[in-house]
Amino acid sequence: MNVDVEFSAICNLKCARCPQRDIVGKIPLGVMEYGLFTDIINEISENGACAIKSCLRGEPFMQPRIFDMIEYAKDKGILDIILTTNATLLDEKMIDDILKSSIAGLAISVDTHHSSSFETKGKEYSEVENHINMLLSKKKLANKNNLWVRIQTNIESNGSRQELISLKETVKKQFPLADMFMVGRLLHFNPDLDPYPDTRENYKDVRCNGIFHRFFITWDGKILPCALDYQERMVLGHVGKDSLSSVWLSSTMMQLREKHLAHEMDEYGICRHCHFRFTPKEKDIFTEDGEEHSKSITGYLLQNNK
């Protein structure tokens, strides 16, 4: 079992296409208290969880005790600790802290809307790119092979496959020491719209597998079935009031899994338009070295593992 933890629900950027804009001021947002985090880790480590990942709505490095939390989780036997970040808070000290920490994976988003939002602060995005490359260089010099770094970005939702390939080549040149690259199509995050303009024409409906091996905990302890439930439409329980194991095995979760197996997900608002349930009808693509890869359920996805 994997658990996604919202270390921080707040973000330092205000990207035009981010679902965060639709919930600020409507849903309380903050950073997770250290005591709540240790309670979560204590329980999941006793029940065999092997990985935690930062997810949901915020920037994890807005959490002032992020490195204390990472080490606590590692000391409790959590094997993989993965963070997703916009990297705009990176500086030399944070880079050194990352390399000294037990983070196993770092997914760095370098989308255009991130750079646009960052530059509204009167700064140049090239500063962020330089810090990402500094991290990668120091990682290589330190022979830090137990940390992978993935660079991820998106084209517009109506973009072509050739645009995907072109953008992937661009980010490979920008960040040559990264371990992985991922280019996808930008989603509609509106829970009442399909993820892509051509969803019903060029994608087929498949089952989401996330509800069978993971769940999500917000900064204030709400337990959700999905990382895309930004608006907290389906709260299953609360840490401290409900045990995580009882929520995992609850009748609500079991029914949700049964509905997915029966392809009856439309009964749930958060599932009706979720991109995790769609995969391209065209099954395979070829990377630039001729290697065949399955397409990801997140859309037209190109991935390169060195």
Side-chain angles (χ1 to χ4, degrees):
M1 181 176 67
N2 301 335
V3 180
D4 286 51
V5 177
E6 192 173 51
F7 292 94
S8 167
I10 57 176
C11 187
N12 60 315
L13 300 181
K14 292 182 172 62
C15 300
R17 303 287 290 275
C18 181
Q20 186 93 342
R21 297 175 70 93
D22 298 326
I23 60 174
V24 171
K26 299 176 183 177
I27 295 174
L29 301 174
V31 296
M32 182 174 285
E33 293 183 359
Y34 185 76
L36 175 60
F37 179 80
T38 58
D39 288 345
I40 293 167
I41 296 300
N42 291 343
E43 183 170 353
I44 66 173
S45 63
E46 291 171 2
N47 285 281
C50 60
I52 61 171
K53 183 179 182 295
S54 70
C55 207
L56 292 167
R57 300 162 293 198
E59 166 57 45
F61 290 115
M62 294 287 286
Q63 166 58 256
R65 298 198 66 180
I66 185 68
F67 293 107
D68 294 334
M69 291 174 163
I70 289 165
E71 297 315 310
Y72 186 87
K74 191 68 174 181
D75 289 344
K76 284 291 182 175
I78 303 299
L79 300 176
D80 287 331
I81 301 163
I82 301 168
L83 303 184
T84 299
T85 176
N86 59 42
T88 58
L89 296 175
L90 284 183
D91 57 23
E92 191 161 4
K93 180 182 183 307
M94 183 175 287
I95 288 168
D96 290 339
D97 288 341
I98 289 170
L99 295 175
K100 288 186 292 186
S101 76
S102 298
I103 298 173
L106 202 59
I108 300 178
S109 297
V110 293
D111 289 318
T112 302
H113 54 275
H114 287 168
S115 59
S116 300
S117 179
F118 183 76
E119 289 177 349
T120 62
K121 300 174 181 289
K123 300 179 179 180
E124 294 292 329
Y125 193 70
S126 57
E127 176 187 330
V128 178
E129 295 173 344
N130 290 340
H131 281 136
I132 294 171
N133 279 317
M134 180 188 293
L135 167 67
L136 295 169
S137 295
K138 286 194 167 193
K139 172 181 173 291
K140 182 178 180 180
L141 285 172
N143 199 29
K144 180 84 173 174
N145 295 322
N146 59 346
L147 166 67
W148 56 259
V149 177
R150 182 176 73 209
I151 303 295
Q152 55 192 41
T153 188
N154 294 285
I155 62 168
E156 289 296 322
S157 57
N158 60 353
S160 68
R161 181 174 180 272
Q162 185 53 48
E163 288 178 274
L164 282 168
I165 294 170
S166 176
L167 182 54
K168 182 183 174 184
E169 291 306 313
T170 298
V171 295
K172 285 176 68 176
K173 290 176 182 176
Q174 282 179 305
F175 309 105
L177 296 179
D179 300 294
M180 292 176 275
F181 300 91
M182 188 165 70
V183 182
R185 298 173 75 190
L186 196 62
L187 306 170
H188 289 308
F189 282 102
N190 186 324
D192 299 314
L193 294 175
D194 282 341
Y196 311 107
D198 59 344
T199 299
R200 303 294 167 169
E201 293 80 27
N202 295 324
Y203 291 75
K204 62 183 179 181
D205 205 344
V206 296
R207 304 180 184 97
C208 167
N209 62 23
I211 57 172
F212 296 93
H213 64 84
R214 64 198 297 189
F215 61 87
F216 306 81
I217 303 175
T218 66
W219 70 278
D220 54 353
K222 298 185 188 77
I223 306 167
L224 307 176
C226 180
L228 294 185
D229 189 7
Y230 292 99
Q231 299 179 4
E232 301 176 3
R233 291 182 170 193
M234 194 174 182
V235 178
L236 303 171
H238 296 78
V239 176
K241 295 180 181 177
D242 307 285
S243 73
L244 298 177
S245 57
S246 68
V247 171
W248 182 250
L249 298 172
S250 67
S251 58
T252 302
M253 278 296 284
M254 297 303 287
Q255 184 181 45
L256 185 59
R257 294 175 185 124
E258 289 169 4
K259 291 293 184 181
H260 275 67
L261 290 173
H263 287 279
E264 297 173 355
M265 299 88 84
D266 282 355
E267 294 185 24
Y268 297 92
I270 63 170
C271 303
R272 193 171 299 124
H273 301 284
C274 177
H275 71 282
F276 285 120
R277 63 179 283 190
F278 296 106
T279 190
K281 291 177 181 176
E282 186 182 306
K283 295 199 183 218
D284 297 299
I285 60 173
F286 291 87
T287 60
E288 70 286 341
D289 58 0
E291 222 180 305
E292 196 172 291
H293 291 274
S294 294
K295 279 191 175 179
S296 149
I297 57 174
T298 58
Y300 290 108
L301 179 71
L302 291 176
Q303 192 162 249
N304 177 64
N305 296 296
K306 291 182 179 177

